Amino acid sequence: RTRNLDTRGQRLVADGGLERLIGVQPCTINGDPITAQSMLVFETARGIEQFDSDPIGAKLPQQVDELKIRRPDGEIRDLHGVRRFLYSPEGAHERTIAIYRDVTEERRAQQELALRGDRLTELRSELAHVSRLSAMGEMAAALAHELNQPLTAIGNSVGALKIMLGDGGRALDDMGRARVVR
């Protein structure tokens, strides 16, 4: 949407698209830069070069703007635009031409995507934790199995030894001793 500010006559010429964008009736802001400026809530500017003063005083050819405006219905909208500054051959500022577009929905989508990204990171962290717990469970089961086999064999050997030694209360002779040692 375009606006054209003639600094000599202090007139603002806006097309219908800009008026729809900022939510005013047709021909409301034409000729009156104050109406449009009063809607401004927040502005950041990035010129071609860094500057401490205003872009016109710094003789910048153009400037990129990020604006927040409050429409008459109270809704705040984000606008992105470029202002081009036109100067006379003597270097006096004569006119500013600006083009803006509404980026409110894009910004909201970016914020939602960032929130989803945070949630995705959180879910990935939880999945990694569950995977570690699962791996620890599998390792504990494998370790229990590996320990259980020799312990079972030892238990069986002790049981067999008890049976052999408890053979009717007889004294252990060389033949019995040989059976136990095997």
Side-chain angles (χ1 to χ4, degrees):
R1 310 305 180 255
T2 305
R3 77 175 185 182
N4 186 345
L5 180 61
D6 181 349
T7 57
R8 290 174 296 190
Q10 290 297 309
R11 288 183 320 122
L12 175 68
V13 179
D15 69 0
L18 179 64
E19 291 173 325
R20 281 190 304 280
L21 182 73
I22 63 176
V24 296
Q25 295 296 319
C27 300
T28 303
I29 61 173
N30 272 332
D32 181 17
I34 305 300
T35 301
Q37 289 173 344
S38 68
M39 299 174 82
L40 196 59
V41 174
F42 176 75
E43 176 179 14
T44 62
R46 296 184 310 241
I48 291 176
E49 303 169 14
Q50 296 288 31
F51 57 92
D52 291 47
S53 62
D54 70 300
I56 295 168
K59 299 283 190 238
L60 291 179
Q62 71 182 28
Q63 176 174 304
V64 176
D65 294 327
E66 301 291 332
L67 307 174
K68 281 191 181 295
I69 61 158
R70 184 180 320 274
R71 295 170 44 140
D73 61 6
E75 182 181 14
I76 294 181
R77 304 296 290 181
D78 294 313
L79 304 180
H80 173 81
V82 177
R83 284 188 285 169
R84 180 87 177 149
F85 306 108
L86 304 174
Y87 302 95
S88 70
E90 295 80 34
H93 177 244
E94 290 186 332
R95 179 174 297 217
T96 299
I97 298 174
I99 299 175
Y100 290 96
R101 69 184 182 98
D102 189 339
V103 293
T104 305
E105 297 309 318
E106 290 174 34
R107 299 274 164 78
R108 286 181 186 155
Q110 288 170 350
Q111 289 171 347
E112 185 176 321
L113 200 55
L115 289 173
R116 286 184 181 177
D118 291 345
R119 178 68 179 138
L120 184 59
T121 301
E122 184 181 314
L123 289 173
R124 283 184 179 149
S125 176
E126 287 179 30
L127 180 61
H129 179 70
V130 168
S131 294
R132 285 191 300 272
L133 288 176
S134 176
M136 284 175 35
E138 289 175 15
M139 190 169 66
L143 186 60
H145 176 73
E146 293 299 321
L147 287 174
N148 198 27
Q149 277 188 318
L151 290 175
T152 301
I154 291 169
N156 289 339
S157 295
V158 168
L161 185 59
K162 279 171 87 178
I163 291 171
M164 284 189 240
L165 290 176
D167 198 15
R170 292 182 310 190
L172 200 59
D173 60 358
D174 286 339
M175 187 185 277
R177 199 174 278 121
R179 280 187 352 195
V180 169
V181 172
R182 257 191 293 165

